[in-house]
Amino acid sequence: SRLFLMSGAIFMEVTALALRHQNLPTNILTLLEDNTWWQMIEELESHLLPFMAILNHLQRDVAQLSDVLHAFAYFMQLYKHGQDDFSKNMVRRLESRWRQWEQPLLIIAFFLHPKYRNSVFNNSLSLNLPQIGLWVQYYYREWFRARPTVILAELSRFVNREYPFDDDTASNFDDIQEYWKFTIGATKELSILAVRVFSICVNSASCERLFSSMDFIHSARRNRLQLGKVFSMAQMRAEIIYNRTVKMSRELEQHIHANTIIHNNESCQEGSAEISPEDEVIEIGDDNEETTVSDSCEYDVNANPDADNEWNTVLSNWSEDLATEYDEGLVSESLTSADPSERLAHPADNSSAKWCLADLFIVELPVPSAVNSLQLVYNME
Ligand SMILES: *[C@@H]1O[C@H](CO)[C@@H](O)[C@H](O)[C@H]1NC(C)=O
Ligand SMILES: *[C@@H]1O[C@H](CO)[C@@H](O)[C@H](O)[C@H]1NC(C)=O
Ligand SMILES: *[C@@H]1O[C@H](CO)[C@@H](O)[C@H](O)[C@H]1NC(C)=O
Ligand SMILES: *[C@@H]1O[C@H](CO)[C@@H](O)[C@H](O)[C@H]1NC(C)=O
Ligand SMILES: *[C@@H]1O[C@H](CO)[C@@H](O)[C@H](O)[C@H]1NC(C)=O
């Protein structure tokens, strides 16, 4: 990019200066004057930029489930035709991450996006209306503890683009959640389910039994933080966002189904404990020399040593609480699953409910807007 070339040019100036004063080792100077080296850096940059754009986006509260699948499908598009080792590795890693997720939920999120509906999935994978219908019914029952009665008919209307599901109406809305809220008056069940799907915040999604292995919080910006702090931040953040989602769903519930109560007993406990450094996580280091503070929920723990001690106490208290919660979580889980009529088999537990990311889509998906806008910013420099 031009920004990079500019900084490259500046660097060259510095190099020339340093060369005159002879205070840089010659091997470094040779490297700096090597054009291929700069080209390699530029190529690396072109690989990293989309990841950076998408990670930035997925860490924001506005990120939605459909964005996650879109991002994965986009990267798959980029790499699946490559013959080099790097591309093959990327495909392998994307697939292995994708396999760990609750694919039915992510696929529903895509399906309920008015831009995509049933037109994007590979027909030979039987991701058709009846299959989606089963999942939609499942999630409706689990989330609202009510028997869906008309949701399939409503899904069918959505697929057939009957008002308010036509493209003209959908094009009025930038925000998909707003769109589904708008349609609430026209459906009994589907819209409220869709609002729930699109209000799942992907970066606190461990709450929703999702992505427990994702490392959104442990990002490049924060990865100097120790695991314990990251974990506590994840907990806090998850709780705040979870409370907000619950509150919103309750309000909607009262609005629509005056008599049903949402069971939020499937609490944040499970899964959220799993921020585990895996082989796939690039770890830059946990050194504490410099803790970047740029987010409202981050503490500058090194600003004064007392705060640091206090923080440590809070942390150890938290981890004790957590251990208790975890035990309780296990207990309540086994209690609930002992009564099969109360708890349905979870579609995500079905090991056949997995699809190859590379085969999932029959169309080329557009470049995610996060990537587009980042490239725009860079090109304006
Ligand atoms: C979330 O809700 C619970 C129960 O209503 C409350 O005790 C807790 O303080 C809330 N947490 C936050 C971070 O608001
Ligand atoms: C959670 O589940 C327990 C039993 O599993 C039940 O006694 C309790 O009322 C439930 N809480 C809520 C808020 O639904
Ligand atoms: C940690 O827990 C102990 C007792 O369990 C309590 O006295 C103390 O105030 C707690 N400290 C913090 C910082 O929450
Ligand atoms: C598991 O998923 C496969 C593929 O969607 C489906 O054919 C099968 O019926 C499912 N099994 C159960 C028990 O839900
Ligand atoms: C659709 O799925 C089948 C079976 O997995 C696969 O062979 C085919 O290549 C896929 N089509 C596309 C366009 O990806």
Side-chain angles (χ1 to χ4, degrees), residues 123-134:
N123 293 327
S124 52
L125 301 181
S126 27
L127 288 173
N128 44 26
L129 197 53
Q131 176 64 75
I132 304 285
L134 281 180

mmCIF file with all atom_site columns, all heavy atoms in Angstrom, residues 123-134:
data_model
loop_
_atom_site.group_PDB
_atom_site.id
_atom_site.type_symbol
_atom_site.label_atom_id
_atom_site.label_alt_id
_atom_site.label_comp_id
_atom_site.label_asym_id
_atom_site.label_entity_id
_atom_site.label_seq_id
_atom_site.pdbx_PDB_ins_code
_atom_site.Cartn_x
_atom_site.Cartn_y
_atom_site.Cartn_z
_atom_site.occupancy
_atom_site.B_iso_or_equiv
_atom_site.pdbx_formal_charge
_atom_site.auth_seq_id
_atom_site.auth_comp_id
_atom_site.auth_asym_id
_atom_site.auth_atom_id
_atom_site.pdbx_PDB_model_num
ATOM 1  N N   . ASN A 1 123 ? -26.387 -26.932 -2.772 1.00 0.00 ? 123 ASN A N   1
ATOM 2  C CA  . ASN A 1 123 ? -27.579 -27.785 -2.747 1.00 0.00 ? 123 ASN A CA  1
ATOM 3  C C   . ASN A 1 123 ? -27.288 -29.227 -2.374 1.00 0.00 ? 123 ASN A C   1
ATOM 4  O O   . ASN A 1 123 ? -28.108 -29.899 -1.762 1.00 0.00 ? 123 ASN A O   1
ATOM 5  C CB  . ASN A 1 123 ? -28.270 -27.765 -4.112 1.00 0.00 ? 123 ASN A CB  1
ATOM 6  C CG  . ASN A 1 123 ? -28.833 -26.398 -4.407 1.00 0.00 ? 123 ASN A CG  1
ATOM 7  O OD1 . ASN A 1 123 ? -29.251 -25.701 -3.491 1.00 0.00 ? 123 ASN A OD1 1
ATOM 8  N ND2 . ASN A 1 123 ? -28.802 -26.007 -5.666 1.00 0.00 ? 123 ASN A ND2 1
ATOM 9  N N   . SER A 1 124 ? -26.095 -29.695 -2.734 1.00 0.00 ? 124 SER A N   1
ATOM 10 C CA  . SER A 1 124 ? -25.814 -31.105 -2.475 1.00 0.00 ? 124 SER A CA  1
ATOM 11 C C   . SER A 1 124 ? -25.529 -31.382 -0.998 1.00 0.00 ? 124 SER A C   1
ATOM 12 O O   . SER A 1 124 ? -25.306 -32.518 -0.609 1.00 0.00 ? 124 SER A O   1
ATOM 13 C CB  . SER A 1 124 ? -24.660 -31.580 -3.350 1.00 0.00 ? 124 SER A CB  1
ATOM 14 O OG  . SER A 1 124 ? -23.573 -30.724 -3.199 1.00 0.00 ? 124 SER A OG  1
ATOM 15 N N   . LEU A 1 125 ? -25.533 -30.335 -0.156 1.00 0.00 ? 125 LEU A N   1
ATOM 16 C CA  . LEU A 1 125 ? -25.283 -30.572 1.278  1.00 0.00 ? 125 LEU A CA  1
ATOM 17 C C   . LEU A 1 125 ? -26.590 -30.665 2.065  1.00 0.00 ? 125 LEU A C   1
ATOM 18 O O   . LEU A 1 125 ? -26.580 -30.721 3.276  1.00 0.00 ? 125 LEU A O   1
ATOM 19 C CB  . LEU A 1 125 ? -24.424 -29.455 1.855  1.00 0.00 ? 125 LEU A CB  1
ATOM 20 C CG  . LEU A 1 125 ? -23.061 -29.258 1.199  1.00 0.00 ? 125 LEU A CG  1
ATOM 21 C CD1 . LEU A 1 125 ? -22.309 -28.133 1.885  1.00 0.00 ? 125 LEU A CD1 1
ATOM 22 C CD2 . LEU A 1 125 ? -22.241 -30.538 1.278  1.00 0.00 ? 125 LEU A CD2 1
ATOM 23 N N   . SER A 1 126 ? -27.698 -30.665 1.394  1.00 0.00 ? 126 SER A N   1
ATOM 24 C CA  . SER A 1 126 ? -29.040 -30.658 1.976  1.00 0.00 ? 126 SER A CA  1
ATOM 25 C C   . SER A 1 126 ? -29.231 -29.636 3.095  1.00 0.00 ? 126 SER A C   1
ATOM 26 O O   . SER A 1 126 ? -29.872 -29.896 4.102  1.00 0.00 ? 126 SER A O   1
ATOM 27 C CB  . SER A 1 126 ? -29.509 -32.044 2.439  1.00 0.00 ? 126 SER A CB  1
ATOM 28 O OG  . SER A 1 126 ? -28.448 -32.860 2.785  1.00 0.00 ? 126 SER A OG  1
ATOM 29 N N   . LEU A 1 127 ? -28.667 -28.470 2.883  1.00 0.00 ? 127 LEU A N   1
ATOM 30 C CA  . LEU A 1 127 ? -28.957 -27.359 3.800  1.00 0.00 ? 127 LEU A CA  1
ATOM 31 C C   . LEU A 1 127 ? -30.176 -26.632 3.236  1.00 0.00 ? 127 LEU A C   1
ATOM 32 O O   . LEU A 1 127 ? -30.117 -25.485 2.851  1.00 0.00 ? 127 LEU A O   1
ATOM 33 C CB  . LEU A 1 127 ? -27.767 -26.418 3.876  1.00 0.00 ? 127 LEU A CB  1
ATOM 34 C CG  . LEU A 1 127 ? -26.589 -26.986 4.642  1.00 0.00 ? 127 LEU A CG  1
ATOM 35 C CD1 . LEU A 1 127 ? -25.380 -26.080 4.529  1.00 0.00 ? 127 LEU A CD1 1
ATOM 36 C CD2 . LEU A 1 127 ? -26.969 -27.157 6.101  1.00 0.00 ? 127 LEU A CD2 1
ATOM 37 N N   . ASN A 1 128 ? -31.271 -27.369 3.181  1.00 0.00 ? 128 ASN A N   1
ATOM 38 C CA  . ASN A 1 128 ? -32.461 -26.823 2.539  1.00 0.00 ? 128 ASN A CA  1
ATOM 39 C C   . ASN A 1 128 ? -33.465 -26.348 3.582  1.00 0.00 ? 128 ASN A C   1
ATOM 40 O O   . ASN A 1 128 ? -33.219 -26.428 4.786  1.00 0.00 ? 128 ASN A O   1
ATOM 41 C CB  . ASN A 1 128 ? -33.071 -27.905 1.649  1.00 0.00 ? 128 ASN A CB  1
ATOM 42 C CG  . ASN A 1 128 ? -33.098 -29.236 2.378  1.00 0.00 ? 128 ASN A CG  1
ATOM 43 O OD1 . ASN A 1 128 ? -33.129 -29.255 3.606  1.00 0.00 ? 128 ASN A OD1 1
ATOM 44 N ND2 . ASN A 1 128 ? -33.071 -30.324 1.639  1.00 0.00 ? 128 ASN A ND2 1
ATOM 45 N N   . LEU A 1 129 ? -34.589 -25.904 3.108  1.00 0.00 ? 129 LEU A N   1
ATOM 46 C CA  . LEU A 1 129 ? -35.593 -25.333 3.999  1.00 0.00 ? 129 LEU A CA  1
ATOM 47 C C   . LEU A 1 129 ? -36.037 -26.300 5.109  1.00 0.00 ? 129 LEU A C   1
ATOM 48 O O   . LEU A 1 129 ? -36.088 -25.905 6.276  1.00 0.00 ? 129 LEU A O   1
ATOM 49 C CB  . LEU A 1 129 ? -36.785 -24.853 3.164  1.00 0.00 ? 129 LEU A CB  1
ATOM 50 C CG  . LEU A 1 129 ? -37.743 -23.883 3.832  1.00 0.00 ? 129 LEU A CG  1
ATOM 51 C CD1 . LEU A 1 129 ? -37.006 -22.694 4.395  1.00 0.00 ? 129 LEU A CD1 1
ATOM 52 C CD2 . LEU A 1 129 ? -38.785 -23.427 2.833  1.00 0.00 ? 129 LEU A CD2 1
ATOM 53 N N   . PRO A 1 130 ? -36.328 -27.573 4.790  1.00 0.00 ? 130 PRO A N   1
ATOM 54 C CA  . PRO A 1 130 ? -36.730 -28.480 5.874  1.00 0.00 ? 130 PRO A CA  1
ATOM 55 C C   . PRO A 1 130 ? -35.661 -28.636 6.957  1.00 0.00 ? 130 PRO A C   1
ATOM 56 O O   . PRO A 1 130 ? -35.977 -28.664 8.154  1.00 0.00 ? 130 PRO A O   1
ATOM 57 C CB  . PRO A 1 130 ? -36.968 -29.815 5.156  1.00 0.00 ? 130 PRO A CB  1
ATOM 58 C CG  . PRO A 1 130 ? -37.262 -29.446 3.754  1.00 0.00 ? 130 PRO A CG  1
ATOM 59 C CD  . PRO A 1 130 ? -36.466 -28.215 3.467  1.00 0.00 ? 130 PRO A CD  1
ATOM 60 N N   . GLN A 1 131 ? -34.406 -28.720 6.548  1.00 0.00 ? 131 GLN A N   1
ATOM 61 C CA  . GLN A 1 131 ? -33.323 -28.860 7.531  1.00 0.00 ? 131 GLN A CA  1
ATOM 62 C C   . GLN A 1 131 ? -33.214 -27.610 8.410  1.00 0.00 ? 131 GLN A C   1
ATOM 63 O O   . GLN A 1 131 ? -33.148 -27.696 9.632  1.00 0.00 ? 131 GLN A O   1
ATOM 64 C CB  . GLN A 1 131 ? -32.006 -29.117 6.799  1.00 0.00 ? 131 GLN A CB  1
ATOM 65 C CG  . GLN A 1 131 ? -30.794 -29.183 7.708  1.00 0.00 ? 131 GLN A CG  1
ATOM 66 C CD  . GLN A 1 131 ? -30.861 -30.344 8.684  1.00 0.00 ? 131 GLN A CD  1
ATOM 67 O OE1 . GLN A 1 131 ? -30.665 -31.485 8.320  1.00 0.00 ? 131 GLN A OE1 1
ATOM 68 N NE2 . GLN A 1 131 ? -31.155 -30.056 9.940  1.00 0.00 ? 131 GLN A NE2 1
ATOM 69 N N   . ILE A 1 132 ? -33.213 -26.443 7.784  1.00 0.00 ? 132 ILE A N   1
ATOM 70 C CA  . ILE A 1 132 ? -33.145 -25.192 8.539  1.00 0.00 ? 132 ILE A CA  1
ATOM 71 C C   . ILE A 1 132 ? -34.366 -25.108 9.463  1.00 0.00 ? 132 ILE A C   1
ATOM 72 O O   . ILE A 1 132 ? -34.264 -24.682 10.611 1.00 0.00 ? 132 ILE A O   1
ATOM 73 C CB  . ILE A 1 132 ? -33.141 -23.972 7.582  1.00 0.00 ? 132 ILE A CB  1
ATOM 74 C CG1 . ILE A 1 132 ? -31.994 -24.079 6.576  1.00 0.00 ? 132 ILE A CG1 1
ATOM 75 C CG2 . ILE A 1 132 ? -33.083 -22.668 8.360  1.00 0.00 ? 132 ILE A CG2 1
ATOM 76 C CD1 . ILE A 1 132 ? -30.636 -23.783 7.086  1.00 0.00 ? 132 ILE A CD1 1
ATOM 77 N N   . GLY A 1 133 ? -35.510 -25.565 8.944  1.00 0.00 ? 133 GLY A N   1
ATOM 78 C CA  . GLY A 1 133 ? -36.736 -25.542 9.734  1.00 0.00 ? 133 GLY A CA  1
ATOM 79 C C   . GLY A 1 133 ? -36.598 -26.309 11.039 1.00 0.00 ? 133 GLY A C   1
ATOM 80 O O   . GLY A 1 133 ? -37.031 -25.849 12.088 1.00 0.00 ? 133 GLY A O   1
ATOM 81 N N   . LEU A 1 134 ? -35.950 -27.464 10.970 1.00 0.00 ? 134 LEU A N   1
ATOM 82 C CA  . LEU A 1 134 ? -35.752 -28.262 12.186 1.00 0.00 ? 134 LEU A CA  1
ATOM 83 C C   . LEU A 1 134 ? -34.942 -27.498 13.224 1.00 0.00 ? 134 LEU A C   1
ATOM 84 O O   . LEU A 1 134 ? -35.283 -27.473 14.407 1.00 0.00 ? 134 LEU A O   1
ATOM 85 C CB  . LEU A 1 134 ? -34.997 -29.556 11.844 1.00 0.00 ? 134 LEU A CB  1
ATOM 86 C CG  . LEU A 1 134 ? -35.798 -30.684 11.222 1.00 0.00 ? 134 LEU A CG  1
ATOM 87 C CD1 . LEU A 1 134 ? -34.888 -31.872 10.952 1.00 0.00 ? 134 LEU A CD1 1
ATOM 88 C CD2 . LEU A 1 134 ? -36.930 -31.092 12.172 1.00 0.00 ? 134 LEU A CD2 1
#
